Amino acid sequence: MTTTASSLILADDASITIPRRKTRPVPVGSVMIGGQHPVVVQSMINEDTLDIEGSVRAIRELHEIGCELVRVTVPSLSHARALEKIRKTLEDTYQPVPLVADVHHDGLKIALEVAKHVDKVRINPGLFVFERRRTSGEYSQEELNAVHQSIVESLKPLVESLASQNKAMRIGVNHGSLAERMLYMFGDTPLGMVESALEFVHICEELDYHNLVISFKASRVPVMLAAYRLAARRFDALGMDYPFHLGVTEAGDGEYGRIKSTAGIGTLLAEGIGDTIRVSLTEDPKKEIPVCYGILQALGLRKTMVEYVACPSCGRTLFNLEEVLHKVRQATYHLTGLDIAVMGCIVNGPGEMADADYGYVGRGPGMIALYRGKEEIKLVPEAEGVNQLVELIKADGRWLEP
Ligand code: SF4
């Protein structure tokens, strides 16, 4: 995998280097995906795109809480036309929001219309050109060539339209909807997913179009991991530096939906793969955004909140650590950029919170030691601990009003 070093400072005197797959920056409205740009957070509204008012509201609500790129679905030509009004209403009543349109079945006409109104068009190689379902039988070379040719003919006008407007395309492969030919040639495999994308990428490159973002989603995390890893190797070997969009499809809801998404997306990001992410939950899409930022923050890729370090507590803890952590969080949640530790005891606490900017450490019965970095600054009674921590941050000039 071709990588560039992006240094990440974790402490005053300690730094680690996370190698990130080298990708080209692709413009999507006012957002850049890839290169050295921060990993972009995106989501998708559930509203029917024909519901202009509801769609505008949903897009705006997502954007206001940090969703940088919003996807809408366009199952018909009238949905595609509705995007013109949606875009204009956003500009008139709010601000331009980078938009992506999902085009599915046999969607050339729809894609050409919607390309006028959005910043990126997502196509699914398995569905873009209609292929009759086959249950058995071999493909002749002529048949394979004929389908390929019809893909070239369908893709060309869309690529030309997007290229002329400097807009982007996502080639979004789904494990569950691979084309019949791909299943025939490669089976229901990560290789089939990668080859499926490559067929479209080659056509785009022949047309000298490179504003591409690629995805290889699956609902099973091991399949998704295998597909992205294989893709990273294949693309790099071919000199293709297109950014990847990461996601686990149909992750479900609740705790397990979040764990599944984090396992898939987080693992790849930790390997340096991925330039934009979507956590797909069967919940209100607004609930996806904190999960995205949580994954990025935990990996040190973006810092959008306070990083809290807290020990699990044990027999040495002489105060209710869970309660105190909650109070500290309530008092300081808005101080983005700070690392704050809450540790149960003086024996192991200071050593284990060594990277934090501030520490709240149990010092003995009813007493708390407050730390700035590795230095113990003062001893305070437990009842004053949280207030005194805030005072210390204020005295250092690092406080902001909520
Ligand atoms: S820091 Fe102290 S109180 Fe917390 S888990 Fe470790 S030993 Fe126990």
Side-chain angles (χ1 to χ4, degrees):
M1 195 170 75
T2 312
T3 55
T4 53
S6 68
S7 243
L8 179 71
I9 306 303
L10 290 183
D12 294 348
D13 56 358
S15 69
I16 63 161
T17 301
I18 292 184
R20 192 168 162 195
R21 178 175 166 257
K22 191 168 187 277
T23 56
R24 70 172 58 219
V26 171
V28 183
S30 55
V31 169
M32 295 295 271
I33 298 177
Q36 289 302 304
H37 295 275
V39 176
V40 172
V41 168
Q42 56 176 294
S43 181
M44 182 169 186
I45 61 166
N46 293 332
E47 274 66 17
D48 184 339
T49 316
L50 292 177
D51 172 7
I52 309 280
E53 205 180 302
S55 296
V56 167
R57 186 172 54 244
I59 292 166
R60 180 176 174 161
E61 283 174 1
L62 272 175
H63 191 255
E64 281 174 340
I65 58 165
C67 177
E68 296 158 308
L69 191 52
V70 183
R71 187 150 52 107
V72 297
T73 188
V74 281
S76 77
L77 204 50
S78 42
H79 287 82
R81 292 196 186 105
L83 252 306
E84 184 176 10
K85 283 192 196 134
I86 290 172
R87 159 152 238 135
K88 184 155 183 353
T89 311
L90 281 167
E91 287 172 0
D92 292 348
T93 62
Y94 177 54
Q95 66 181 74
V97 176
L99 295 175
V100 186
D102 226 347
V103 178
H104 283 288
H105 299 270
D106 226 2
L108 179 60
K109 260 193 186 165
I110 299 169
L112 282 175
E113 173 62 27
V114 86
K116 295 185 228 161
H117 314 305
V118 298
D119 306 291
K120 182 165 81 166
V121 173
R122 182 268 167 135
I123 58 164
N124 178 340
L127 303 172
F128 188 64
V129 169
F130 178 73
E131 280 185 58
R132 196 176 302 284
R133 282 275 155 203
R134 294 160 59 126
T135 48
S136 63
E138 304 246 313
Y139 273 91
S140 67
Q141 195 55 49
E142 288 70 37
E143 282 178 289
L144 292 175
N145 292 346
V147 180
H148 179 77
Q149 197 47 39
S150 79
I151 292 172
V152 173
E153 282 160 21
S154 295
L155 203 52
K156 193 168 181 245
L158 177 60
V159 164
E160 286 171 349
S161 167
L162 292 170
S164 70
Q165 303 176 80
N166 195 29
K167 291 182 175 177
M169 179 194 288
R170 169 154 70 97
I171 298 174
V173 177
N174 266 8
H175 182 231
S177 54
L178 287 178
E180 286 288 305
R181 282 169 311 123
M182 291 296 154
L183 292 172
Y184 167 73
M185 291 189 284
F186 305 103
D188 183 12
T189 61
L191 177 62
M193 296 169 73
V194 175
E195 291 298 335
S196 187
L198 278 173
E199 179 179 31
F200 278 62
V201 173
H202 284 306
I203 295 169
C204 292
E205 290 201 330
E206 275 160 26
L207 295 165
D208 199 21
Y209 176 67
H210 305 275
N211 282 351
L212 297 173
V213 178
I214 324 286
S215 63
F216 306 90
K217 295 193 186 182
S219 57
R220 288 171 190 270
V221 172
V223 175
M224 170 262 190
L225 291 176
Y228 279 101
R229 286 170 176 154
L230 175 64
R233 288 199 302 276
R234 285 292 305 278
F235 275 59
D236 289 351
L238 291 164
M240 294 174 172
D241 57 356
Y242 302 110
F244 287 174
H245 162 131
L246 305 184
V248 178
T249 52
E250 294 99 27
D253 64 349
E255 190 176 51
Y256 191 61
R258 287 160 174 76
I259 290 171
K260 219 172 152 178
S261 295
T262 305
I265 294 170
T267 300
L268 290 167
L269 288 173
E271 294 172 13
I273 297 172
D275 303 278
T276 176
I277 64 172
R278 188 217 171 175
V279 166
S280 309
L281 296 177
T282 316
E283 295 180 29
D284 182 335
K286 291 199 285 296
K287 295 187 179 171
E288 297 174 0
I289 307 305
V291 187
C292 291
Y293 281 115
I295 294 171
L296 296 174
Q297 168 113 2
L299 288 167
L301 291 168
R302 291 185 78 164
K303 197 146 192 173
T304 51
M305 47 195 166
V306 177
E307 182 80 21
Y308 293 99
V309 179
C311 78
S313 85
C314 71
R316 288 201 173 106
T317 317
L318 296 175
F319 59 90
N320 185 330
L321 205 138
E322 194 179 342
E323 205 174 273
V324 169
L325 177 60
H326 181 69
K327 281 187 192 159
V328 169
R329 184 179 276 123
Q330 273 191 322
T332 59
Y333 71 93
H334 59 290
L335 302 175
T336 302
L338 285 188
D339 290 8
I340 299 176
V342 180
M343 308 300 281
C345 77
I346 200 76
V347 182
N348 292 327
E352 289 173 17
M353 65 168 202
D355 296 342
D357 298 303
Y358 294 97
Y360 178 114
V361 182
R363 189 69 158 86
M367 292 305 285
I368 300 300
L370 296 180
Y371 279 71
R372 180 195 297 120
K374 294 180 174 60
E375 193 188 351
E376 185 181 302
I377 301 299
K378 55 182 167 182
L379 280 178
V380 297
E382 191 188 325
E384 291 174 27
V386 178
N387 285 344
Q388 288 295 320
L389 174 67
V390 168
E391 290 308 314
L392 176 60
I393 298 172
K394 283 183 178 170
D396 286 352
R398 303 183 78 175
W399 180 259
L400 293 169
E401 288 308 318

